[in-house]
Amino acid sequence: QRTAEAWLANMDANRKEIDVDDALQELRDRLDVSEMITRYAFALDRCEWDDFDSIFADRVLVELPHVPSGSTVSRAEFKQMAIDTVGGFEATHHPIANHLVTISGDTAECRCYANAWHSIPTERGVTDYCLVRGFYLWGLERTPDGWRINRMNVEFHGPVEGYMGVYQLAAERLKAGRV
């Protein structure tokens, strides 16, 4: 396992002994892993659910505050979970920043910040959004078609802004077909 810091330190210490092909492959892997996480955020916020087919592995270990810990679900189940969670919102925004990528053969881990903003029309005087913060820990596996996410861990950390009740309102809106 090598973090970016260890990789750079190794580069500096052994500048003459670096295999350029290996170094380029590692950089490519890091970029591909980071891009996969970004593709997830865009697909989620644009409700482009079919994009999940090229982002997630067949099975995904899900560790979310609102899901029984350590649940492994199929990609189709994960997709439905995402639809049920955010599909009823008017808008969502999931900037995922500060990717720390560790590559180990055909597996990877990516730690990053989570900021999840969700908004829905509400009655006058009722806060229309909720912003939660925390950390993601992603697991990925290399497949013949490229990197795929096989683990998603979300840990809430920091203050929640807005109204947590918007999640229930969004679920009701989705169920009533008002999206």
Side-chain angles (χ1 to χ4, degrees):
Q1 288 183 335
R2 291 173 53 179
T3 64
E5 186 176 277
W7 183 78
L8 288 172
N10 186 51
M11 258 186 73
D12 288 339
N14 302 304
R15 211 170 263 293
K16 294 178 184 172
E17 298 177 28
I18 291 179
D19 182 318
V20 173
D21 290 336
D22 288 346
L24 288 175
Q25 182 61 51
E26 186 164 346
L27 287 172
R28 173 67 189 261
D29 287 340
R30 289 176 184 287
L31 288 171
D32 288 349
V33 165
S34 186
E35 182 174 317
M36 196 57 59
I37 305 304
T38 302
R39 287 184 59 213
Y40 160 75
F42 273 92
L44 185 68
D45 291 337
R46 294 175 180 259
C47 298
E48 294 172 347
W49 311 118
D50 289 341
D51 287 358
F52 280 27
D53 295 340
S54 62
I55 296 171
F56 287 93
D58 293 335
R59 308 283 299 160
V60 182
L61 173 61
V62 181
E63 298 170 304
L64 305 171
H66 62 283
V67 174
S69 184
S71 300
T72 299
V73 298
S74 70
R75 180 177 41 237
E77 290 170 317
F78 183 86
K79 187 187 305 188
Q80 189 60 53
M81 189 182 331
I83 292 168
D84 292 344
T85 302
V86 302
F89 284 102
E90 183 76 18
T92 64
H93 189 69
H94 291 80
I96 302 173
N98 299 340
H99 296 203
L100 294 175
V101 177
T102 303
I103 307 288
S104 181
D106 289 336
T107 63
E109 226 178 51
C110 182
R111 295 179 182 276
C112 19
Y113 289 153
N115 287 288
W117 176 82
H118 306 92
S119 179
I120 188 170
T122 59
E123 295 177 22
R124 188 177 183 147
V126 176
T127 302
D128 67 349
Y129 77 97
C130 185
L131 171 63
V132 294
R133 297 172 181 92
F135 301 101
Y136 285 108
L137 173 58
W138 303 93
L140 295 91
E141 62 188 42
R142 188 191 318 265
T143 73
D145 296 320
W147 290 97
R148 295 296 183 264
I149 297 169
N150 63 6
R151 179 180 179 203
M152 178 183 184
N153 174 291
V154 177
E155 175 188 325
F156 290 158
H157 186 77
V160 173
E161 290 180 29
Y163 174 49
M164 288 292 286
V166 296
Y167 294 94
Q168 181 61 40
L169 296 173
E172 292 168 4
R173 185 174 186 242
L174 183 66
K175 187 175 180 181
R178 296 190 315 260
V179 290

